């Protein structure tokens, strides 16, 4: 409102100046900068190949809708809403940049509840004691194996702290419910990794319990080009526990890996999500 008021005042001042000043000499060179030219293509709802790939991969566009501009616009709006962007429905610069940024490789499951709340619950374990096991360790990391064990335990504990009813321990025998591994590219599920950058990991929802990290990344504390193992582990554990992606940009369950990722703990929205599992019916 203040902005509008100020721009109104500036506009009025300019108009007043224009009417008061004498007309400029015809030959006098103008000191005004040239008008800014937009050189890129105009933003459009027409999907380019990269956008189609992204929107399909993350659950916004179905096969049959490729050439349907209404659906394309809806898909883009939906993606923008989930990413916390202005919902223009067009492939503007911010949207294309977001599609290039680092994120979880799981689709952004959209439910009717998304309009009402930011977190989403996809499924849940039923009164089970959960165990996890670390199958292998990353090829590139600043950590020792013991340190990685400790970081995964810390990530588990971040969820237990906000939901003490969770019972998750490191497995000692038998088969763990949640298998953690570092894998490359195509690794026999529907979500192949893509080499360094972009997608970083995923974890299947309750019942399957496979947590995969992209082994093409260098895992560390998020500094010096490393990916923050604890941050991504907390996010992927959230999926293992049944949470989908949140459209709250502060939530650790937001699909996108933030450039400032030192806040390695669930946010208020994540807490509301995990605690809601005790009060809502199973989807
Ligand atoms: Zn995710
Ligand atoms: Zn996988």
């Amino acid at each position: 409102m203040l902005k509008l008021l100020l721009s109104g005042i500036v506009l009025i001042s300019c108009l007043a100046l224009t009417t008061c000043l004498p007309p400029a000499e015809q030959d006098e060179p103008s000191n005004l900068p040239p008008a800014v030219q937009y050189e890129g293509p105009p933003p459009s709802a027409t999907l380019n190949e990269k956008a189609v790939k992204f929107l399909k991969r993350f659950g916004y566009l179905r096969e049959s809708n490729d050439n349907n501009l209404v659906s394309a616009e809806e898909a883009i709006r939906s993606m923008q809403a989930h990413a916390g962007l202005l919902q223009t429905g067009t492939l503007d610069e911010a949207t294309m940049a977001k599609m290039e940024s680092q994120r979880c490789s799981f689709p952004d499951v959209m439910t009717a509840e998304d309009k009402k709340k930011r977190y989403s619950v996809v499924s849940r374990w039923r009164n089970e004691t959960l165990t996890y096991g670390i199958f292998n360790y990353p090829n590139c990391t600043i950590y020792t194996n013991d340190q990685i064990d400790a970081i995964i335990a810390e990530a588990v504990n971040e969820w237990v702290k906000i939901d003490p009813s969770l019972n998750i321990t490191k497995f000692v025998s038998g088969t763990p419910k949640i298998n953690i591994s570092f894998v490359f590219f195509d690794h026999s599920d529907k979500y192949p990794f893509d080499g360094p950058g972009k997608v970083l990991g995923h974890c299947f929802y309750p019942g399957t319990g496979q947590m995969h990290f992209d082994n093409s990344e260098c895992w560390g504390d998020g500094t010096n080009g490393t990916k923050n193992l604890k941050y991504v582990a907390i996010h992927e554990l959230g999926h293992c526990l049944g949470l989908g992606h949140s459209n709250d940009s502060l939530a650790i369950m937001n699909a996108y890996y933030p450039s400032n990722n030192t806040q390695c703990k669930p946010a208020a929205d994540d807490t509301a999500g995990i605690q809601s599992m005790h009060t809502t019916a199973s989807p």
Side-chain angles (χ1 to χ4, degrees):
M1 188 63 201
L2 182 62
K3 229 173 170 178
L4 270 175
L5 193 61
L6 284 173
S7 59
I9 291 168
V10 170
L11 182 63
I12 290 165
S13 311
C14 291
L15 286 172
L17 275 174
T18 310
T19 50
C20 297
L21 289 172
E25 294 288 332
Q26 289 249 323
D27 297 337
E28 193 180 329
S30 168
N31 289 327
L32 293 173
V36 176
Q37 297 286 323
Y38 179 70
E39 291 178 348
S44 167
T46 309
L47 295 176
N48 59 37
E49 197 181 334
K50 200 178 277 182
V52 168
K53 200 172 162 194
F54 180 98
L55 293 169
K56 276 185 184 171
R57 176 167 192 177
F58 296 112
Y60 294 101
L61 198 63
R62 287 190 295 272
E63 290 289 335
S64 58
N65 286 346
D66 288 5
N67 298 315
N68 183 331
L69 290 187
V70 175
S71 292
E73 186 178 333
E74 282 169 4
I76 295 167
R77 274 187 201 284
S78 187
M79 175 266 166
Q80 288 167 329
H82 227 76
L85 299 172
L86 193 63
Q87 294 177 51
T88 60
T90 60
L91 291 176
D92 51 41
E93 203 175 315
T95 304
M96 290 306 293
K98 202 71 174 174
M99 287 181 177
E100 287 294 309
S101 60
Q102 298 175 102
R103 57 161 290 152
C104 175
S105 73
F106 249 24
D108 303 327
V109 177
M110 306 300 287
T111 68
E113 289 188 330
D114 283 349
K115 291 191 176 74
K116 291 183 272 179
K117 58 191 177 189
R118 289 170 174 258
Y119 62 81
S120 63
V121 175
V122 178
S123 61
R124 70 201 68 196
W125 300 93
R126 293 183 185 279
N127 304 320
E128 291 176 68
T129 298
L130 299 178
T131 52
Y132 69 89
I134 302 172
F135 182 75
N136 69 340
Y137 293 88
N139 280 20
C140 178
T141 181
I142 63 170
Y143 297 129
T144 63
N145 291 356
D146 284 348
Q147 285 174 317
I148 288 175
D149 288 352
I151 287 165
I152 297 295
E154 284 170 23
V156 167
N157 197 41
E158 290 296 340
W159 287 108
V160 174
K161 273 196 279 188
I162 57 171
D163 184 358
S165 73
L166 290 171
N167 189 355
I168 315 176
T169 55
K170 192 172 181 190
F171 96 116
V172 283
S173 63
T175 307
K177 291 261 169 61
I178 299 170
N179 284 285
I180 299 170
S181 56
F182 293 81
V183 292
F184 290 104
F185 296 99
D186 194 343
H187 52 279
S188 304
D189 62 29
K190 279 165 49 186
Y191 308 99
F193 287 133
D194 57 358
K198 293 201 183 170
V199 298
L200 306 176
H202 51 239
C203 184
F204 290 83
Y205 296 117
T208 308
Q210 295 288 329
M211 187 196 286
H212 297 153
F213 292 88
D214 189 346
N215 211 358
S216 298
E217 311 294 345
C218 198
W219 292 97
D221 58 1
T223 62
N224 298 321
T226 63
K227 300 299 179 295
N228 191 323
L229 178 63
K230 184 175 175 185
Y231 187 97
V232 178
I234 297 171
H235 175 99
E236 301 309 340
L237 267 166
H239 289 315
C240 290
L241 296 174
L243 291 174
H245 283 147
S246 167
N247 54 13
D248 183 339
S249 60
L250 297 177
I252 208 157
M253 291 315 297
N254 187 275
Y256 298 91
Y257 180 74
S259 50
N260 178 6
N261 48 59
T262 51
Q263 186 73 353
C264 280
K265 60 180 185 183
D269 180 67
D270 305 302
T271 304
I274 199 80
Q275 292 181 352
S276 76
M277 291 190 187
H278 303 302
T279 54
T280 56
S282 184

